[in-house]
Amino acid sequence: MRVDENVTTGSDSYYAAAKKNYPASVSGRLRTIKWSVLIITLGIYYFLPFIRWDRGPDAPGQAVLIDMAGRKAYFFGVEIWPQEVYYLTGLLVLASVALFLMNAVAGRVWCGYLCPQTVWTDLYFAVERWFEGDRRDRILMDRAPMSVGKFVRKAAKHIVWLLIAVGTGGAWVLYFGDAPTIIRDIFTGNAASIVYIWIGILTFTTYSLAGFMREQVCLYMCPWPRIQAALTDEWALNVTYRTDRGEPRMSVRTGARAKEAGAKVGDCIDCKACVQVCPTGVDIREGLQLGCIQCGLCIDACDTVMAKVGREPGLIGYDTDMNIARRSEGKPPIFRIVRPRTVLYAALIVIIGGIMTYTLANRAFQGVSVLHDRNPLYVNLSDGGTRNGYTVRLINKRPHERHFALTVSGLPEGFTVEAQGVAAASGKPVIEVPADTTRELRVLVMVPGGVSLPESTPIEFYIVDTDNGEKASTSDFFKAAPTN
């Protein structure tokens, strides 16, 4: 582990500062996967706001957009209104279950490959190596006194780090408005102050977390390492050092002499390559630890060393402690990726995703809500009739203007419906609602005198699109004076 604690008493401190880690570069299958994930995820993050999507002449043309002013979110052909925030809840639940599934299959695979902290830190490490060299060169440079060459390299590294951080904050704000317009406004100084504030916040967090805090975020700030320990089981694959094969550790020469003497020799030559490439400075040979993010770089490093010394790869790999015990007993390993836990998680993902897809595909593009007047609940008219007042809100989720005919059911014949400021056609108010918006108006429902009504009568409000017949309804009550 990178962090050592001083637990002595007296004048000694209980705290020891973290030692700087110098992870070495490595090549191999898992390193290639990590590069691929980095390129794909960062490519999506930085360039997704620039993808266009035609929604019509008066609608936003950005494929992915969170329109705070318009109170809507767009994702390609999907448009989410504030009333549909439950889709966001569903996405969060899906993400949580997917994280549980990843953990059940391969431990902290999210942390090692997909976590934003891991991805951006990996990018910062690459920039650092570009300017300062690999592990040995960086260690020697930090120990050397300041010189012109050292200053130029350090300054260039930090400039690129800051550019990446600014780009990270800049890309974030592009999701909340038209990307080309925001970029133009940023460089011309015409963007809103909140835009510059958020760019500053994201610049600071990216630069500090990926450039300096790095593994400290994983060790002390992130709760997931502690949570996942309670979710894992004995079948979950984790980056594991095979003690049954690696111990006892000996250098190549010492091992050769021990073999000649008939002693047992492990495959581990104690080269510490696995420790040197670890981004958090963990020695995987000491077993699973809080700092291990399961990135698998130690696997590539160890396999490379094993190939050089002519030994079988796989001394470190995705495995389980149970299989190590089985191999030491001469039994074959057992891998159970498909088991009740993983089946349950996968089933939950399918069910939740299916429900969300079904509701999204069958959702209505119009809606109506009604709020009954509270004071007074009813008004007695001079002709002996009764009047109730309502605030009616109509929703039009289409990208064009629509006309809705408003009707009410559940009352005796002879009642009338009046929408203030709206003309009626065939006795029904026809309400014009602009594209992608809502309209609120006051509606009066009147029952003529001579009609006997209970104190409360359930009624239904209906709106019908006069062009295509699409409907929406909601229920309320018609209040009348209590009968003696």
Side-chain angles (χ1 to χ4, degrees):
M1 297 287 289
R2 276 193 56 207
V3 179
D4 298 322
E5 292 184 355
N6 188 337
V7 294
T8 59
T9 58
S11 61
D12 293 332
S13 171
Y14 282 90
Y15 171 79
K19 300 176 182 178
K20 185 174 180 179
N21 192 27
Y22 296 88
S25 62
V26 63
S27 60
R29 175 173 49 89
L30 296 176
R31 176 67 267 184
T32 300
I33 293 175
K34 281 177 66 65
W35 282 130
S36 301
V37 171
L38 183 149
I39 292 170
I40 292 171
T41 53
L42 291 184
I44 291 173
Y45 176 75
Y46 286 118
F47 297 107
L48 188 58
F50 297 98
I51 298 177
R52 301 291 94 184
W53 190 267
D54 185 11
R55 297 187 179 90
D58 299 321
Q62 189 163 307
V64 179
L65 174 67
I66 302 173
D67 185 3
M68 302 296 288
R71 300 180 183 179
K72 288 184 286 291
Y74 300 92
F75 185 81
F76 294 91
V78 178
E79 180 179 332
I80 303 298
W81 283 59
Q83 297 89 341
E84 299 168 331
V85 70
Y86 49 83
Y87 286 116
L88 175 60
T89 304
L91 288 175
L92 293 175
V93 172
L94 274 179
S96 299
V97 179
L99 196 60
F100 297 161
L101 178 60
M102 290 183 194
N103 177 73
V105 173
R108 291 172 63 184
V109 65
W110 161 264
C111 301
Y113 295 87
L114 292 166
C115 175
Q117 173 66 15
T118 297
V119 172
W120 263 276
T121 300
D122 231 8
L123 179 61
Y124 270 47
F125 274 138
V127 172
E128 189 171 64
R129 294 190 189 101
W130 179 270
F131 287 102
E132 298 181 6
D134 206 357
R135 171 184 166 84
R136 180 177 178 275
D137 298 322
R138 299 201 305 277
I139 293 175
L140 293 176
M141 179 180 290
D142 283 353
R143 291 176 179 174
M146 183 58 68
S147 63
V148 174
K150 178 177 179 178
F151 176 80
V152 169
R153 291 191 177 195
K154 292 280 186 182
K157 176 189 73 174
H158 285 280
I159 289 172
V160 175
W161 278 4
L162 281 170
L163 290 175
I164 295 172
V166 172
T168 301
W172 174 257
V173 300
L174 299 183
Y175 286 91
F176 295 86
D178 183 65
T181 303
I182 291 179
I183 290 178
R184 184 188 65 240
D185 290 344
I186 289 173
F187 284 102
T188 57
N190 296 320
S193 58
I194 191 65
V195 171
Y196 296 106
I197 290 172
W198 273 108
I199 291 176
I201 292 173
L202 269 294
T203 297
F204 171 76
T205 54
T206 304
Y207 181 68
S208 58
L209 296 182
F212 298 96
M213 300 184 69
R214 294 180 172 176
E215 74 282 355
Q216 303 303 310
V217 175
C218 306
L219 288 169
Y220 301 115
M221 296 175 63
C222 180
W224 178 239
R226 295 156 181 83
I227 296 173
Q228 69 91 29
L231 296 174
T232 192
D233 60 15
E234 69 275 14
W235 296 104
L237 298 173
N238 289 285
V239 175
T240 307
Y241 167 67
R242 287 185 54 182
T243 54
D244 60 312
R245 176 183 150 189
E247 301 296 326
R249 311 170 194 171
M250 297 182 190
S251 66
V252 176
R253 292 183 179 178
T254 303
R257 290 195 296 268
K259 280 186 178 180
E260 292 177 357
K264 181 183 177 182
V265 179
D267 280 348
C268 179
I269 62 173
D270 205 19
C271 63
K272 294 185 172 59
C274 55
V275 182
Q276 293 171 1
V277 302
C278 180
T280 60
V282 164
D283 188 344
I284 192 63
R285 298 173 299 175
E286 297 178 5
L288 287 178
Q289 299 156 65
L290 188 65
C292 178
I293 62 173
Q294 304 284 300
C295 64
L297 296 182
C298 55
I299 297 176
D300 286 340
C302 185
D303 285 350
T304 300
V305 172
M306 291 295 102
K308 290 180 179 179
V309 299
R311 298 180 183 178
E312 182 184 353
L315 179 58
I316 302 176
Y318 280 96
D319 206 344
T320 65
D321 290 336
M322 182 175 57
N323 280 336
I324 293 176
R326 288 180 62 86
R327 291 189 189 96
S328 64
E329 297 171 0
K331 300 178 181 178
I334 299 176
F335 298 96
R336 289 184 181 174
I337 294 178
V338 179
R339 56 188 190 277
R341 179 181 297 221
T342 57
V343 170
L344 174 62
Y345 291 150
L348 286 174
I349 292 174
V350 172
I351 293 171
I352 297 171
I355 292 173
M356 290 180 61
T357 302
Y358 176 81
T359 56
L360 195 61
N362 292 277
R363 63 178 178 165
F365 287 87
Q366 62 283 329
V368 59
S369 62
V370 173
L371 180 64
H372 197 290
D373 287 354
R374 296 296 180 223
N375 188 22
L377 288 173
Y378 60 90
V379 174
N380 291 322
L381 302 177
S382 58
D383 64 354
T386 305
R387 185 184 71 201
N388 280 198
Y390 304 85
T391 300
V392 178
R393 180 182 293 273
L394 288 79
I395 304 173
N396 175 19
K397 299 180 182 179
R398 297 286 188 185
H400 55 80
E401 181 182 279
R402 301 170 73 183
H403 297 80
F404 295 100
L406 175 65
T407 59
V408 176
S409 67
L411 292 172
E413 292 184 4
F415 74 92
T416 58
V417 179
E418 177 186 325
Q420 294 183 347
V422 175
S426 301
K428 301 176 182 178
V430 178
I431 304 163
E432 176 186 301
V433 184
D436 277 326
T437 189
T438 64
R439 182 176 177 182
E440 185 177 284
L441 67 160
R442 181 165 174 75
V443 173
L444 303 176
V445 179
M446 292 162 284
V447 175
V451 177
S452 177
L453 287 174
E455 187 175 343
S456 180
T457 303
I459 60 175
E460 288 283 331
F461 286 79
Y462 293 90
I463 59 170
V464 180
D465 190 315
T466 57
D467 292 329
N468 57 27
E470 291 182 336
K471 301 178 181 180
S473 65
T474 187
S475 59
D476 208 285
F477 292 89
F478 187 90
K479 301 293 185 178
T483 57
N484 295 328

